[in-house]
Amino acid sequence: MNPRLISIIIASCCFFSPAVAEEAAAFKDGQQISWLDRITGKWEAGTYKWATPGNKQPIIWKRPGDPNSQTAYTWEDIKSASRSDTSKSAGTASKLPPLPLPPTPQPGATPGTNPAMGKLGAMPQAAGGPPLTEDQILKFITDRVGNTPFADSAKLQKTKDELGALIKQRGTAFLHDSAISDFGQKISALGMTSEVTGPLSHNYGPPNKQDWLWGSWVTSKVGLPVKYVEGNKLMLWTEIGAANTGKVTINPDGTYVWNTDSAQGVIQGKWHEASIAEMADQGGAGVVLENAKNGVPWVAFKYRAGNPREEWLGLAEVNHRSIREGAMRIPTK
């Protein structure tokens, strides 16, 4: 077995201290609890559900009775709703909004309003033209390579490069599903590969301007699944994402502050405008936070794989795109 996978399994196996076991036994599925919001320092109402293998972390619903608010937390930051705790100051309800899940419209559908975001206006248009439709993209390809795309490899590559750049410049009017949609199968048959499919998956809606990034954001950790073989079985290890893991503020003066809510604490640094290479498949304006988490640069951009009218920030290590976080804007008063 891959040594890295072994280390993941070992790190999460069922060895735990008696103190942790006692903590886990004190809670029951469906029990009303209070959890500490580490951004605001306030205690909030929630629901306890269960514990991860080895009782490593409690799984809670941050909004009572709402499975969409499920997250992994820490034992020291939850308590019974009826238990007082003088070691941490209790407070009033948090002023931060709950983190709504991005909607998942069908390919080609117009995104609906997310009630948690309030009433939304019409989708704006990019300066270079409105977001591209499926028909416009198919026409762009066939106008250049016809129905025999593989007859001229140089022309095909030029078409892919130009189309990828155009998608990042204008965005798409539809949420792309690369695997199962009829459109996805058509562009695959026309020779479109990652130069096009990457931008298609990350540029729903018009590109943002740089000032969209200014402000403060509550970060959330993105959990990634890991598949591995154990004997004759295919196993899936799923890391559960965690909300409210810190706060990042991007200022228009070229500086940023990132409260990582970790051993690194608060990081203060400078940002520079992201280059085309640093943005990778992302269109719109982005910035690179220099010497950020883990001492490496992170790129910040508008998350555009969901509803384009919602306020979601994407964060990713420039050199390792699989290491990433998401964030929701903190509204200003």
Side-chain angles (χ1 to χ4, degrees), residues 174-211:
F174 59 95
L175 188 61
H176 177 60
D177 188 321
S178 61
I180 61 174
S181 71
D182 180 60
F183 171 75
Q185 294 176 15
K186 287 179 179 178
I187 63 170
S188 177
L190 289 169
M192 298 300 103
T193 50
S194 59
E195 297 92 332
V196 173
T197 57
L200 277 174
S201 299
H202 295 91
N203 291 280
Y204 183 27
N208 60 290
K209 296 181 179 179
Q210 193 176 75
D211 60 4

Side-chain angles (χ1 to χ4, degrees), residues 2 12 21 35 64 88 98 101 107-108 128 132 190 193 216 227 234 238 247 262 288 291 293 295 316-317 320 324-325:
N2 186 313
S12 57
W35 56 275
K88 301 186 180 82
L101 292 180
L132 298 164
L190 289 169
T193 50
S216 296
K227 293 181 181 179
L234 177 63
T238 301
K247 183 175 79 170
S262 69
V288 173
N291 300 312
K293 286 187 73 172
E317 281 196 8
H320 299 89
R324 61 183 187 267
E325 298 189 20

Side-chain angles (χ1 to χ4, degrees), residues 40-59:
T40 65
K42 312 285 187 180
W43 286 96
E44 308 288 0
T47 305
Y48 175 82
K49 292 306 295 177
W50 45 279
T52 59
N55 293 334
K56 187 176 180 182
Q57 289 180 284
I59 304 301

Side-chain angles (χ1 to χ4, degrees), residues 1 19 27 65 74 118 125 129 177 205 235 265 288 312:
M1 187 186 298
F27 296 95
T74 53
Q125 291 189 0
D177 188 321
M235 310 295 288
V288 173
W312 291 89

